[in-house]
Amino acid sequence: MFSLDIDHLKNAYASGSLTPAQVLDQVYDRIASMGERPVWISLIPKDQALAQLQQAPKGRLWGIPFAVKDNIDVAGMPTTAGCPDFAYTPSRSAFVVERLQAEGAILIGKTNLDQFATGLVGTRSPYGICSSVFSPDHVSGGSSSGSAVAVAAGLVSFSLGTDTAGSGRVPVAFNNIVGLKPSKGLISNRGLVPACRSLDCISIFAGTCADALAVLEVAGVYDPEDAFSRNAAQAGPWPDGFRFGLPMGKLEFFGDTQAEALFAQAVERLHALGGQQVYIDFTPFAQCAQLLYSGPWVAERLAAIDDFANTKPESLHEVVRGIILGAKDISAADGFKGFYRLAELIRQAETQWARMDVMLLPTTGTTYRIDEVLADPIRLNSNLGAYTNFVNLMDLSAIAIPAGFRPNGLPFGITIMGRAFQDDAIAALADRLHRALPSASLGGTGIALDSTPPVVAAANEKIALAVVGAHLAGQPLHHQLVERKARLRAVTRTAAGYSLYALADTQPAKPGLVFDGLGAGAIEVEIYEMDAAAFGSFVAQIPAPLGIGTLTLADGTLVKGFLCEGHATRGATDITAFGGWRGWLAR
């Protein structure tokens, strides 16, 4: 079995040792050997996949096979959300699928899930029960069960799942793969059947952190058609001496002493990477986790499928029906009380975040056999969410990685969590921790992790850039900074002597900053930093009469920034007195 990791396939295509068509042959042979059910709900026929390849652009993911969870739309394919009576066939693919295919990725099919993404176990589907690739008797984890197994079994290079309460992380722990749960809004949810629309994240399953980041690089683009999409710069990598938080007191492993020992080993490996351990009060996080299913967010699950659930309740899986229809008793007043309580818990958690850069937790405290979950579906599912349920409620980023095997051969996993939009930073740290694991392999394939390239750390050298107008946060050209992963460093003002003009006949409207020694100064600027390559591509698209020069800030610091050719100010409006572009716009 050859590896389907993205770097290996790209190198093989470049050298001619493999072609994408040969890879698709192998993918369909592997699927035929394993069987279509229960991993797949809809499989694209091989001849259609080959036709897709013929039309695929030769972009960053050309010839890379992938799968999507079947609550994500693909044009011309049924979307079931794990419920046959709910199925519909969209005419347009989800935004994230469009992005991936525009870069040449080849869709293989749509995968099984806990119905309506309600569950962390993978047992709540009429299309069959997925099991861990390491044991037919143990749960695969859910709700993104099929997506995780497809990667772990070596059927695709990566897959898309979703994550509301932990569905992009729990299956990772049971299948020895990587799961990147991006910050809310970083990947557009347009074309996703919602579970809790305000919390849902489309997640990425892969064999390595590097592959997950390669997919995020393509998929994590602002979508103006999604009301929950967010524009944000990513954080830089953590330096040595980073602080990782651990809960004070004894963690709950539900009697799984083998998992407890593996977690202790992961803590020691993080120490060896230069981490400084700090103990935190886990109470606000634990109480927040309980809100997800005991609070009003269950009503949001009902809102997602209200008409269908009320007209065809018999079509719902028994356990899912009990959870979703139970929300009918939740009042609007309960909803507001839940929001207030969440705000209180987030404020309490701020004190703990001030003491740490990242948090380290078990992904799950234990695992279960399928028959155990079927006999006690609610309690055991709740146990699996003890360390996952609070993450989206608190607007955190997270990445789950393997952390070794129990003596019985079942895998164990850990999760690194950071603040919102620290996805790149925590993934780089997670990759180092993953690679510190002895004899690490990709899923259940037996392919060694060290045969794949690590995450390449961003260059330490950053270039600071001052922006004054259409590139400010919230302005029309700010996306050009976001696309280059520019990071906001400061909001400040220029030194005296600068004048600001509203230029005539520019689209979008732009100001021009000129040093003439006359202006009162104190012009508002935002300082961003980016790597040299990003800076170069940014500067290349700046139109005359604007350009990049050296600005002096109020504290005397020199920084690169936007300046305007003097001739362009003739006939322009002097807006210096407004103190900046935003002040002028708000006039």
Side-chain angles (χ1 to χ4, degrees):
M1 173 183 285
F2 59 75
S3 177
L4 293 181
D5 76 272
I6 294 173
D7 187 76
H8 173 259
L9 293 185
K10 283 186 172 182
N11 288 336
Y13 297 161
S15 69
S17 60
L18 271 178
T19 67
Q22 289 172 324
V23 170
L24 291 180
D25 284 341
Q26 181 67 218
V27 163
Y28 280 89
D29 286 346
R30 294 179 188 182
I31 292 172
S33 176
M34 187 172 179
E36 188 171 337
R37 294 278 192 267
V39 174
W40 305 91
I41 290 180
S42 299
L43 191 65
I44 291 176
K46 182 180 174 181
D47 61 339
Q48 292 182 23
L50 290 168
Q52 191 183 154
L53 174 62
Q54 292 298 315
Q55 300 297 319
K58 289 195 174 181
R60 287 173 283 178
L61 296 175
W62 179 66
I64 306 298
F66 77 107
V68 302
K69 185 175 180 177
D70 195 19
N71 59 347
I72 299 171
D73 284 348
V74 174
M77 295 185 73
T79 299
T80 72
C83 181
D85 287 347
F86 177 80
Y88 63 91
T89 301
S91 59
R92 184 181 182 185
S93 293
F95 178 80
V96 64
V97 175
E98 292 176 344
R99 288 284 307 164
L100 295 169
Q101 291 187 315
E103 291 291 342
I106 308 302
L107 182 65
I108 303 302
K110 306 189 74 178
T111 55
N112 204 354
L113 68 154
D114 279 325
Q115 191 178 81
F116 292 112
T118 303
L120 294 173
V121 286
T123 62
R124 302 172 179 175
S125 171
Y127 295 96
I129 295 174
C130 291
S131 62
S132 165
V133 295
F134 295 95
S135 168
D137 298 325
H138 286 79
V139 293
S140 62
S143 62
S144 308
S145 52
S147 288
V149 172
V151 171
L155 306 181
V156 290
S157 298
F158 71 90
S159 64
L160 301 181
T162 62
D163 190 306
T164 305
S167 297
R169 290 163 280 154
V170 170
V172 167
F174 300 161
N175 289 284
N176 193 46
I177 57 173
V178 168
L180 192 156
K181 197 276 329 158
S183 301
K184 290 193 299 183
L186 188 56
I187 296 179
S188 169
N189 286 338
R190 176 160 56 86
L192 168 68
V193 177
C196 292
R197 192 179 174 205
S198 66
L199 301 179
D200 294 336
C201 299
I202 290 178
S203 61
I204 300 167
F205 295 113
T208 70
C209 295
D211 278 4
L213 281 178
V215 176
L216 182 64
E217 181 76 19
V218 171
V221 174
Y222 177 71
D223 176 13
E225 294 185 51
D226 175 14
F228 287 89
S229 184
R230 296 197 287 180
N231 239 336
Q234 292 285 292
W238 300 114
D240 289 338
F242 61 88
R243 303 164 301 165
F244 67 95
L246 292 174
M248 289 184 288
K250 188 176 176 63
L251 286 171
E252 178 61 78
F253 289 92
F254 307 98
D256 191 338
T257 57
Q258 296 174 0
E260 186 173 9
L262 288 169
F263 184 71
Q265 293 171 22
V267 171
E268 290 307 310
R269 285 194 293 275
L270 203 49
H271 276 301
L273 294 177
Q276 298 177 7
Q277 177 179 320
V278 295
Y279 285 106
I280 62 163
D281 181 1
F282 192 63
T283 304
F285 302 97
Q287 292 181 353
C288 184
Q290 295 170 8
L291 275 182
L292 192 61
Y293 282 101
S294 63
W297 283 270
V298 181
E300 192 172 14
R301 290 184 180 271
L302 177 60
I305 57 166
D306 197 7
D307 291 342
F308 181 81
N310 284 306
T311 57
K312 294 187 175 181
E314 72 284 351
S315 297
L316 299 177
H317 185 280
E318 179 182 6
V319 177
V320 175
R321 181 170 64 243
I323 294 169
I324 291 179
L325 293 185
K328 289 184 175 183
D329 296 329
I330 297 173
S331 68
D334 293 330
F336 283 107
K337 290 175 183 177
F339 296 142
Y340 303 153
R341 180 56 178 156
L342 175 60
E344 292 169 356
L345 293 171
I346 290 174
R347 181 57 54 86
Q348 293 172 24
E350 289 291 338
T351 303
Q352 306 309 313
W353 278 109
R355 306 182 62 238
M356 61 181 171
D357 297 310
V358 295
M359 187 191 309
L360 179 70
L361 289 175
T363 301
T364 67
T366 189
T367 187
Y368 296 110
R369 296 193 315 273
I370 291 172
D371 60 355
E372 292 175 318
V373 170
L374 293 177
D376 192 359
I378 301 298
R379 184 177 67 88
L380 298 193
N381 188 93
S382 179
N383 289 351
L384 295 182
Y387 301 122
T388 64
N389 284 354
F390 65 87
V391 174
N392 286 345
L393 282 167
M394 288 187 157
D395 195 13
L396 304 177
S397 54
I399 185 166
I401 59 172
F405 287 83
R406 301 168 177 83
N408 64 4
L410 294 176
F412 172 74
I414 55 175
T415 297
I416 294 177
M417 302 171 194
R419 309 299 291 271
F421 304 114
Q422 291 180 332
D423 309 85
D424 285 4
I426 62 171
L429 178 58
D431 186 60
R432 293 173 61 198
L433 185 56
H434 190 191
R435 291 175 185 280
L437 182 66
S439 305
S441 57
L442 309 183
T445 65
I447 296 168
L449 175 63
D450 62 13
S451 68
T452 68
V455 170
V456 177
N460 291 328
E461 182 180 358
K462 298 288 184 181
I463 298 175
L465 173 71
V467 302
V468 297
H471 290 92
L472 295 168
Q475 296 303 306
L477 298 181
H478 183 68
H479 67 90
Q480 294 178 354
L481 293 171
V482 173
E483 289 164 359
R484 289 163 176 80
K485 299 188 182 300
R487 183 183 184 189
L488 179 64
R489 196 173 77 183
V491 179
T492 184
R493 293 186 178 273
T494 67
Y498 288 92
S499 295
L500 191 68
Y501 294 84
L503 301 178
D505 302 322
T506 57
Q507 289 295 330
K510 301 180 185 72
L513 185 70
V514 177
F515 183 80
D516 54 13
L518 302 174
I523 301 299
E524 182 189 40
V525 295
E526 290 177 349
I527 311 297
Y528 289 86
E529 60 182 16
M530 64 188 90
D531 62 36
F535 180 78
S537 68
F538 180 84
V539 171
Q541 62 184 11
I542 297 173
L546 301 178
I548 299 297
T550 301
L551 277 63
T552 303
L553 302 180
D555 64 359
T557 301
L558 299 179
V559 65
K560 297 301 179 186
F562 276 86
L563 288 172
C564 181
E565 297 172 14
H567 69 84
T569 65
R570 291 193 291 271
T573 303
D574 187 340
I575 60 173
T576 308
F578 291 91
W581 186 238
R582 284 200 180 92
W584 164 251
L585 293 178
R587 70 194 185 280

